[in-house]
Amino acid sequence: MKQLVYIDTSVFGGYYDEEFSAYTIPLFDRFQKGDFKLLFSEVTQEELVEAPIKVRELVNSLKLENTILVETNDEAVELAKQYIVEKVVGQTSFADCLHIALATVYRADYLISWNFKHIVNVQRIRGYNAINIKSGYKELEIRSPRDFMTYDENHSENF
């Protein structure tokens, strides 16, 4: 079975960002090839409503057969609130917590983000996963797109 990958809003923006595109574009190529099943949430969809048109077109280019739309549910909302109660992040980071919670509740193998302040951060990852385990969920692998680069036999980057 293909691995389930949840991407947050920052990854879509990274596609067109000079600093992040070298790692984000190959990741989207892998999505298009069907290397993973992509979990796309209502939260991400709502956050992208005001995004530049090229970012919204990128969303629309995702292949439906490789994408699963995940809905926000009470279970994810309660888990997101728990991250805040346990002070993994502050209350202003509820949307970030909801991304983590949705990926957890829908059993993603990975959550991919460029948000190093609130998500891809060793201290925060430990906090999220401590609560996940305490709440009966598995640990969530939280990574940046850089961790999903493929390499050829000579170990050079294979874009």
Side-chain angles (χ1 to χ4, degrees):
M1 184 173 170
K2 291 182 185 177
Q3 292 181 315
L4 293 174
V5 175
Y6 182 105
I7 61 174
D8 76 353
T9 313
S10 68
V11 179
F12 287 96
Y15 192 94
Y16 296 103
D17 187 299
E18 195 174 302
E19 182 179 358
F20 302 115
S21 64
Y23 299 100
T24 308
I25 291 170
L27 178 63
F28 274 87
D29 291 343
R30 294 186 72 189
F31 291 144
Q32 291 298 80
K33 285 191 285 185
D35 288 356
F36 308 102
K37 278 285 190 184
L38 177 64
L39 297 177
F40 183 78
S41 74
E42 292 175 329
V43 176
T44 303
Q45 191 172 31
E46 290 169 15
E47 289 178 341
L48 290 170
V49 166
E50 299 297 322
I53 198 149
K54 63 186 177 184
V55 174
R56 287 182 279 150
E57 288 172 351
L58 178 62
V59 173
N60 292 332
S61 76
L62 295 172
K63 291 184 176 178
L64 291 178
E65 65 267 19
N66 299 329
T67 306
I68 301 169
L69 180 64
V70 296
E71 298 177 355
T72 303
N73 58 29
D74 292 341
E75 184 179 0
V77 169
E78 288 306 311
L79 186 58
K81 287 178 183 176
Q82 194 61 35
Y83 299 142
I84 292 170
V85 167
E86 299 280 342
K87 300 190 184 325
V88 176
V89 291
Q91 286 186 329
T92 58
S93 300
F94 183 74
D96 295 327
C97 290
L98 201 47
H99 286 298
I100 304 293
L102 286 166
T104 299
V105 167
Y106 284 94
R107 296 177 177 81
D109 295 296
Y110 298 97
L111 179 142
I112 304 175
S113 175
W114 283 119
N115 181 338
F116 294 110
K117 184 174 182 182
H118 299 123
I119 298 178
V120 188
N121 171 308
V122 173
Q123 180 182 350
R124 306 240 194 258
I125 292 169
R126 286 182 181 149
Y128 294 129
N129 279 322
I131 293 162
N132 286 351
I133 291 167
K134 186 167 75 172
S135 301
Y137 299 101
K138 69 174 187 163
E139 283 190 48
L140 177 62
E141 290 283 335
I142 299 174
R143 307 286 184 193
S144 79
R146 184 174 296 154
D147 295 321
F148 287 84
M149 291 301 300
T150 57
Y151 298 89
D152 68 14
E153 294 170 2
N154 298 322
H155 304 291
S156 61
E157 293 183 30
N158 181 11
F159 292 99

